[in-house]
Amino acid sequence: MTVRAILKMGDPRLLRVAKTVTEFDTDELHLLITDMLDTMRAASGVGLAAPQIGVDLQVVIFGTGEPSARYPDAPPVPRTVLVNPNITPLPRSGTDPMLAEEEDWEGCLSVPGLRGLVPRFARIRYAGRDQYGDTLDRTVDGFHARVVQHECDHLIGRLYPTRMRDLTRFGFTDVMFPGVEVEED
Ligand code: NI
């Protein structure tokens, strides 16, 4: 078990566009993912991207397989390893042509202690590979869609404050949500 240090906002390594993974099912990739899972668990996070531990590769993990404290009524996000992802925003329903956005609160392990209100696409399709090179292709909405967009943003050097539209909705968790236990991505 190796818990790695999580880089914090201001570190230039969080601003890079991560490199594509070209080899799957390798010892190096499995070791990276084990370290990421250990690190995410130790930090009680709901997601983690490789750049957050200083690794310049398109690898994210998310989901605990358990109900989220923030979204107890949402279906649990399955524990997922996603490599070389791409995201396609979708209309909220088959008949609605508009790409709907919704705002909700986010935190980030690289921006500790803070939360902000962030617009995200309500419904997305995401595709990529797992650590073995097998294809993953899912259509999701709500909290699951939000977590995927948050994690994949780390792969293009974006932290959630740069997605916010209203910085008056950015502040310290313990001030804005006193007494509430919260998770961070
Ligand atoms: Ni994050």
Side-chain angles (χ1 to χ4, degrees):
M1 161 147 182
T2 310
V3 174
R4 307 268 292 260
I6 297 175
L7 306 184
K8 288 193 242 175
M9 185 168 65
D11 191 306
R13 288 172 289 179
L14 289 169
L15 302 175
R16 296 185 291 200
V17 176
K19 295 192 171 75
T20 304
V21 173
T22 54
E23 284 189 89
F24 293 87
D25 202 14
T26 63
D27 290 347
E28 291 82 358
L29 188 54
H30 291 306
L31 190 63
L32 169 63
I33 286 159
T34 301
D35 284 1
M36 287 174 67
L37 287 166
D38 290 344
T39 303
M40 181 176 86
R41 221 177 276 123
S44 301
V46 297
L48 188 73
Q52 290 182 277
I53 57 168
V55 175
D56 188 22
L57 289 172
Q58 290 183 32
V59 178
V60 302
I61 61 171
F62 53 84
T64 59
E66 287 163 19
S68 160
R70 260 191 281 162
Y71 302 86
D73 300 326
V77 180
R79 174 154 292 165
T80 302
V81 172
L82 182 61
V83 181
N84 300 344
N86 67 73
I87 291 179
T88 310
L90 296 175
R92 199 191 293 266
S93 75
T95 53
D96 178 2
M98 297 297 289
L99 299 176
E101 285 186 345
E102 55 194 14
E103 291 199 307
D104 212 333
W105 296 95
E106 292 187 17
C108 180
L109 295 170
S110 294
V111 191
L114 292 157
R115 290 185 99 59
L117 198 62
V118 184
R120 299 285 185 189
F121 293 111
R123 185 174 161 83
I124 60 166
R125 176 180 179 180
Y126 68 92
R129 295 180 183 276
D130 68 12
Q131 64 269 51
Y132 302 99
D134 293 327
T135 302
L136 217 89
D137 189 335
R138 291 179 181 154
T139 296
V140 300
D141 55 18
F143 179 56
H144 190 157
R146 176 169 297 273
V147 169
V148 173
Q149 289 169 86
H150 177 114
E151 296 314 326
C152 292
D153 260 359
H154 281 294
L155 304 181
I156 56 169
R158 294 292 296 263
L159 299 174
Y160 79 81
T162 73
R163 295 287 187 194
M164 292 183 62
R165 298 203 178 112
D166 179 0
L167 287 172
T168 68
R169 313 305 297 279
F170 187 40
F172 288 95
T173 310
D174 59 352
V175 176
M176 295 192 298
F177 305 100
V180 178
E181 194 187 319
V182 291
E183 304 149 310
E184 295 178 325
D185 316 326

